[in-house]
Amino acid sequence: MKKILQDLSYAETEVLMLSMGEKKFRAKQLFEGLVQGKTVSGITSLSKALKARLLEEYEDEPVKIKEIFHSSDGTEKYLFELSDGNLIEGVLMKYKYGYTQCVSTQVGCRMGCKFCASTLGGLVRNLTSGEILAQILVVNALHANDEEVKGRGKDARAVTNIVLMGSGEPLDNYGETLRFLQNVTASDGLNVSARNISLSTCGIVPKMYELANAGIPVNLTVSLHATDDETRARVMPIAKAYKISEILKACAYYFEKTGRRYYFEYTLIDGENCDETHARALVTLLKGKPCHVNLIRLNEVKERSLKATGEKAAYRFLGYLEKNGLSATLRRQIGSDIGGACGQLRASYLE
Ligand code: SAH
């Protein structure tokens, strides 16, 4: 694989241009073209000769949209192809205030969660920061001329919010994920506010502390899915490495450092974690903490035997949490007609 220009910050792009004997303003032309989602060959302000030199070493299009699936509710699901032929997926959800894109951080995943399709074939490889970023760049370019986007102002970009909830465990690819966060929030780059970015982790505790200290206060979301370590370990092998109590301590530290409340994802799995006893235990565990609980109804994955909770039971669970003072919501199911759950699309494609 060649190198990836989207891995570079603006300052690093300048260094590159100077090292190639070019003037500084070429870095601006190159960087701005890439930020607009252009390929190197598509940047008209650069000479053919310079582009040819760049393309000897760098990928022209590190992330390509291979297929788009449209849901009846407007949600789009993408199958992206990387330059080595690997496939990853992403989702775009359209809201009134803007578009939220769900991006992947790894090809596959090695966390082994029992309900998740991303981990079925294990980890193939980490994405580079530029491959994470380029998922957003190509989607911004795809939607640059949408009426809704233009209506938001002259310099508006399609993707206003980012969730790191696609395939992969972001904190298992910490270095590249952090670099991505630095570059995507940079004022000379896409300039997305950390407040508009959510990072979801299965709870790799030491990395949660590192993230708290990194100075990019994104919304931290932990996939909890159970209220005791034993039950959690049945569906999430990572629970054998880190206890819920340790996760809660790391969350408290995150709040202390960033001032941001944190989030928990709790996927309701029939017969596993969604009786009233579990709701009560969840209240006991989280009451009074500066957090919010996102309930998710399991998106059934055909390779897995776990079953979703009925809608009524899900609302009952939510009602119990709310009545007992937890801030909670049941995630609206969107895009389920296009295989919205992590890894489903890639899994069916590989098949
Ligand atoms: N590795 C990270 C982020 C990716 S998964 C993490 O574990 O948080 C994003 C969220 O979707 C997680 O909460 C995950 O547990 C949940 N998820 C995965 N597969 C799912 C499925 N089939 N149905 C419902 N939620 C699922």
Side-chain angles (χ1 to χ4, degrees):
M1 244 171 89
K2 293 181 187 174
K3 291 186 276 186
I4 291 172
L5 286 163
Q6 287 82 351
D7 283 337
L8 305 180
S9 66
Y10 186 66
E12 289 163 344
T13 308
E14 262 186 9
V15 171
L16 173 69
M17 285 294 104
L18 294 175
S19 76
M20 290 176 75
E22 296 289 333
K23 297 259 166 37
K24 261 193 179 177
F25 75 92
R26 292 289 173 214
K28 191 164 169 29
Q29 291 173 330
L30 171 59
F31 192 81
E32 281 178 359
L34 296 176
V35 169
Q36 285 162 21
K38 292 185 175 143
T39 58
V40 176
S41 32
I43 302 176
T44 47
S45 53
L46 299 178
S47 71
K48 273 204 178 127
L50 174 56
K51 289 193 272 196
R53 281 170 66 210
L54 278 168
L55 292 176
E56 276 170 26
E57 274 185 68
Y58 291 91
E59 294 293 346
D60 197 22
E61 212 178 352
V63 174
K64 281 190 203 111
I65 299 180
K66 192 175 166 73
E67 264 188 78
I68 306 178
F69 300 82
H70 297 269
S71 167
S72 51
D73 59 24
T75 301
E76 289 177 8
K77 182 127 195 181
Y78 309 107
L79 191 67
F80 297 116
E81 185 171 3
L82 307 176
S83 31
D84 61 359
N86 269 308
L87 301 173
I88 52 169
E89 52 194 277
V91 182
L92 189 72
M93 293 155 283
K94 298 176 183 172
Y95 300 104
K96 282 204 188 70
Y97 57 82
Y99 295 172
T100 297
Q101 187 176 350
C102 175
V103 298
S104 293
T105 53
Q106 297 180 314
V107 181
C109 183
R110 59 183 184 136
M111 294 298 129
C113 299
K114 290 286 184 292
F115 43 80
C116 182
S118 297
T119 199
L120 287 168
L123 176 67
V124 178
R125 71 168 173 88
N126 282 328
L127 299 188
T128 74
S129 67
E131 287 174 318
I132 306 173
L133 183 68
Q135 295 169 53
I136 298 161
L137 299 177
V138 294
V139 170
N140 272 340
L142 178 72
H143 286 288
N145 294 315
D146 286 13
E147 285 309 319
E148 300 103 286
V149 176
K150 287 205 256 171
R152 284 190 242 131
K154 187 166 79 52
D155 298 320
R157 302 215 193 267
V159 178
T160 55
N161 295 63
I162 300 165
V163 296
L164 281 74
M165 292 187 186
S167 293
E169 167 48 49
L171 299 188
D172 188 40
N173 182 17
Y174 183 76
E176 293 300 317
T177 295
L178 181 63
R179 194 174 168 76
F180 159 74
L181 292 176
Q182 285 160 342
N183 287 343
V184 80
T185 55
S187 57
D188 49 20
L190 279 182
N191 197 16
V192 177
S193 160
R195 288 178 174 270
N196 292 350
I197 303 175
S198 297
L199 184 150
S200 180
T201 176
C202 60
I204 302 185
V205 168
K207 298 294 173 192
M208 290 168 68
Y209 283 98
E210 279 190 49
L211 186 67
N213 292 329
I216 306 176
V218 297
N219 304 304
L220 178 65
T221 300
V222 180
S223 300
L224 196 59
H225 307 331
T227 52
D228 64 89
D229 293 317
E230 222 170 276
T231 312
R232 191 165 187 260
R234 276 213 298 275
V235 286
M236 300 181 74
I238 191 74
K240 292 179 195 124
Y242 305 109
K243 292 193 171 61
I244 293 174
S245 60
E246 295 174 286
I247 289 177
L248 294 181
K249 264 192 212 143
C251 287
Y253 183 78
Y254 196 83
F255 178 72
E256 187 190 309
K257 281 301 259 196
T258 63
R260 311 301 315 276
R261 74 171 175 167
Y262 42 89
Y263 299 78
F264 292 104
E265 280 162 309
Y266 193 97
T267 293
L268 300 165
I269 307 170
D270 194 44
E272 193 60 38
N273 65 358
C274 45
D275 296 344
E276 191 172 320
T277 47
H278 300 114
R280 200 176 303 136
L282 197 55
V283 169
T284 308
L285 199 63
L286 302 180
K287 193 154 185 181
K289 297 195 162 43
C291 68
H292 179 85
V293 179
N294 264 318
L295 300 176
I296 313 172
R297 281 178 61 208
L298 181 77
N299 224 318
E300 290 174 13
V301 172
K302 74 172 181 345
E303 292 83 352
R304 307 291 207 187
S305 57
L306 299 171
K307 291 275 169 261
T309 309
E311 200 171 341
K312 257 199 188 153
Y315 277 106
R316 210 180 306 129
F317 197 92
L318 174 68
Y320 187 92
L321 301 186
E322 286 177 326
K323 202 170 67 215
N324 289 283
L326 283 197
S327 161
T329 38
L330 176 62
R331 190 173 291 167
R332 198 157 59 91
Q333 255 181 333
I334 52 178
S336 51
D337 53 337
I338 50 170
C342 286
Q344 278 183 334
L345 185 59
R346 173 171 168 268
S348 64
Y349 207 90
L350 292 180
E351 197 174 273

